[in-house]
Amino acid sequence: MLMSRRLLCIQVSLVSFLLMIACTVGYVMYSIANNIDEERVKGVYSISLELEEADKISSNAQLTLINTLATKLNTSKVINEAALYEQRISGEVMYPSGEVFNEKFVEISAESQLFSRTLKQGRNFNENDNGEAKPVAIISESLAIALFSSTDVLGQQLKLKNGKWPSVEIVGIAYDEISGVVDDSRHELYLSLRQVLPDGNTINLRLLTRASTDETLEELYRITMQLSQPVNLTYVLDHHYNHLSMINSIQAIISVFFIVGGFALSLSLIGIYAMGISNINKSRYEIGIRRAIGAKDQEILMLFIRKNIKHILNGIFISLIIFAILCYLAADVLRGNVPLPIMLQAGFFTVFVIFISVCFALYVPVKRVVKQQPSASLKMD
């Protein structure tokens, strides 16, 4: 009996841990997906164009071509807005003291003077922010507060590690964009596209339109044909379609988590129920004596639940400690993009459900014996 209880403790510990991990991952994935405003991604496309003869033209000519393309797109009747961006920028942001900022991910991208984000302070990029000028940057309001504890940072130097420059001058503060699972502010750093030209021959565009995909691509082809250099369309991403696909995929993954987790929990509860029945059958005589001398049914129920639940609670407690440690490590690795309270809440909620299920599985067999008359319980085989 003792060995079976210990094995059951290990089983409950493993099941509890796996269920906590599954519920936490499922909850975070679902929260991230549903945090995206579906209306905001309607008609938004990410497009990549490739210059056929990029090695034959100078950097200035390439930049002029890129900005000409963006200007034509912004004056199109089919396309509402167009913005240039360059995502492949490496480097780490540092505190003014010189320590690397690793509390949260910082998104670093390059934008042209067509940068459309609303600024709280400062100025936008302009044509003078080129490769010969001093490097400048626009940062989000949340990043300014995280680094300098203030938004009054115009003209200050933002230090970078492993970047193109050791520091850049802050010329603008952009209002925060909300992202994450708890409406958290996203830390962003924008550099001038004229100062951070792409290493390759790819032009990245983000378009906003209310036209259909076919009409948008047709307009894009028409405009690219007017450029002085030939370009090829290499990549198109419809953000709205991608969002719907992501929601459906996440819902399917969560359903699998619940099915597998429910099956594992059911097997665990069957083992707990079997242990309870075995233990109660061996204690029928004791229950009969207790009832005969006047013990209340509720007292007998609580007594035998306490006897059987000790090893199960040990298993749940062990899994909870391991889960909490992993949550702290994950929060540090993810740099606050998935807040620690969210992970802990999902884990503790799962433990609560498991605890209730375990108590019920222990309660049922004891209740069956307590309902019998003392004379029936005291019969010896």
Side-chain angles (χ1 to χ4, degrees):
M1 179 61 70
L2 181 59
M3 181 59 68
S4 66
R5 288 178 178 177
R6 289 175 177 174
L7 291 175
L8 193 59
C9 168
I10 296 174
Q11 180 187 9
V12 172
S13 179
L14 290 174
V15 170
S16 301
F17 177 73
L18 294 177
L19 281 176
M20 283 187 284
I21 294 293
C23 290
T24 302
V25 172
Y27 177 76
V28 170
M29 292 173 61
Y30 186 78
S31 299
I32 291 175
N34 280 274
N35 191 66
I36 302 175
D37 188 353
E38 185 175 339
E39 294 299 322
R40 290 184 61 187
V41 296
K42 281 186 177 179
V44 178
Y45 296 86
S46 289
I47 294 175
S48 292
L49 301 172
E50 187 177 74
L51 292 170
E52 290 186 359
E53 302 175 353
D55 55 336
K56 297 181 180 180
I57 60 176
S58 64
S59 297
N60 288 333
Q62 181 180 349
L63 185 60
T64 301
L65 177 69
I66 292 173
N67 281 280
T68 300
L69 172 62
T71 302
K72 288 181 177 294
L73 289 170
N74 276 282
T75 57
S76 170
K77 295 181 179 179
V78 177
I79 298 171
N80 298 69
E81 294 179 19
L84 296 163
Y85 68 96
E86 175 57 44
Q87 294 180 323
R88 297 182 300 276
I89 298 178
S90 61
E92 292 182 282
V93 175
M94 303 176 69
Y95 285 103
S97 61
E99 297 178 2
V100 176
F101 177 78
N102 57 7
E103 296 179 7
K104 193 174 182 181
F105 288 115
V106 179
E107 296 186 10
I108 306 177
S109 63
E111 301 281 350
S112 71
Q113 66 268 25
L114 300 172
F115 178 54
S116 59
R117 285 284 299 281
T118 304
L119 298 183
K120 181 178 181 179
Q121 299 178 28
R123 66 172 177 85
N124 202 343
F125 299 122
N126 55 47
E127 295 181 357
N128 295 324
D129 298 322
N130 52 37
E132 299 177 355
K134 61 182 179 181
V136 295
I138 297 174
I139 65 175
S140 63
E141 183 181 2
S142 61
L143 181 58
I145 295 174
L147 294 176
F148 302 95
S149 301
S150 171
T151 57
D152 187 18
V153 295
L154 295 182
Q156 295 195 36
Q157 294 293 317
L158 176 66
K159 296 182 179 181
L160 297 174
K161 182 180 180 181
N162 301 325
K164 185 176 181 180
W165 313 280
S167 64
V168 293
E169 181 181 340
I170 301 173
V171 297
I173 306 295
Y175 282 104
D176 290 334
E177 277 193 347
I178 304 301
S179 66
V181 297
V182 288
D183 293 336
D184 199 7
S185 297
R186 187 168 62 188
H187 291 355
E188 297 167 319
L189 167 62
Y190 299 101
L191 305 173
S192 173
L193 185 64
R194 289 180 174 272
Q195 296 178 335
V196 189
L197 281 173
D199 295 331
N201 57 350
T202 301
I203 304 173
N204 296 315
L205 297 169
R206 187 172 290 112
L207 308 180
L208 173 62
T209 177
R210 297 307 175 196
S212 64
T213 303
D214 292 338
E215 292 175 334
T216 302
L217 293 179
E218 183 179 348
E219 179 69 6
L220 182 63
Y221 281 123
R222 185 188 68 80
I223 292 176
T224 54
M225 293 296 293
Q226 300 175 5
L227 299 176
S228 59
Q229 296 290 333
V231 295
N232 294 324
L233 178 64
T234 58
Y235 175 77
V236 178
L237 173 64
D238 184 343
H239 284 262
H240 184 246
Y241 176 79
N242 183 66
H243 171 69
L244 295 179
S245 300
M246 180 173 60
I247 290 291
N248 293 333
S249 299
I250 288 176
Q251 289 176 344
I253 293 173
I254 293 175
S255 299
V256 172
F257 279 166
F258 276 116
I259 293 173
V260 175
F263 180 72
L265 181 59
S266 298
L267 290 179
S268 179
L269 294 178
I270 290 173
I272 295 171
Y273 182 76
M275 183 199 71
I277 290 179
S278 176
N279 195 18
I280 293 301
N281 286 336
K282 293 180 180 180
S283 305
R284 291 167 64 94
Y285 196 77
E286 178 185 350
I287 292 174
I289 293 176
R290 289 181 178 276
R291 294 198 66 203
I293 62 177
K296 296 181 180 179
D297 293 349
Q298 193 68 23
E299 294 174 347
I300 298 175
L301 285 170
M302 295 305 300
L303 173 65
F304 281 88
I305 288 177
R306 285 197 299 268
K307 281 185 177 182
N308 292 290
I309 205 172
K310 177 182 177 181
H311 291 80
I312 296 171
L313 287 179
N314 288 338
I316 294 177
F317 182 70
I318 292 171
S319 65
L320 194 58
I321 291 178
I322 298 174
F323 176 77
I325 294 173
L326 290 179
C327 283
Y328 277 103
L329 296 176
D332 184 59
V333 171
L334 297 174
R335 299 183 182 181
N337 285 269
V338 180
L340 179 62
I342 292 295
M343 294 186 283
L344 293 179
Q345 288 173 13
F348 281 112
F349 175 76
T350 307
V351 167
F352 177 76
V353 173
I354 294 174
F355 178 75
I356 296 299
S357 302
V358 166
C359 289
F360 181 75
L362 292 174
Y363 171 82
V364 173
V366 182
K367 186 66 175 177
R368 289 179 56 189
V369 176
V370 169
K371 285 183 177 180
Q372 297 177 352
Q373 293 296 324
S375 57
S377 301
L378 290 171
K379 286 182 179 179
M380 300 294 289
D381 295 331

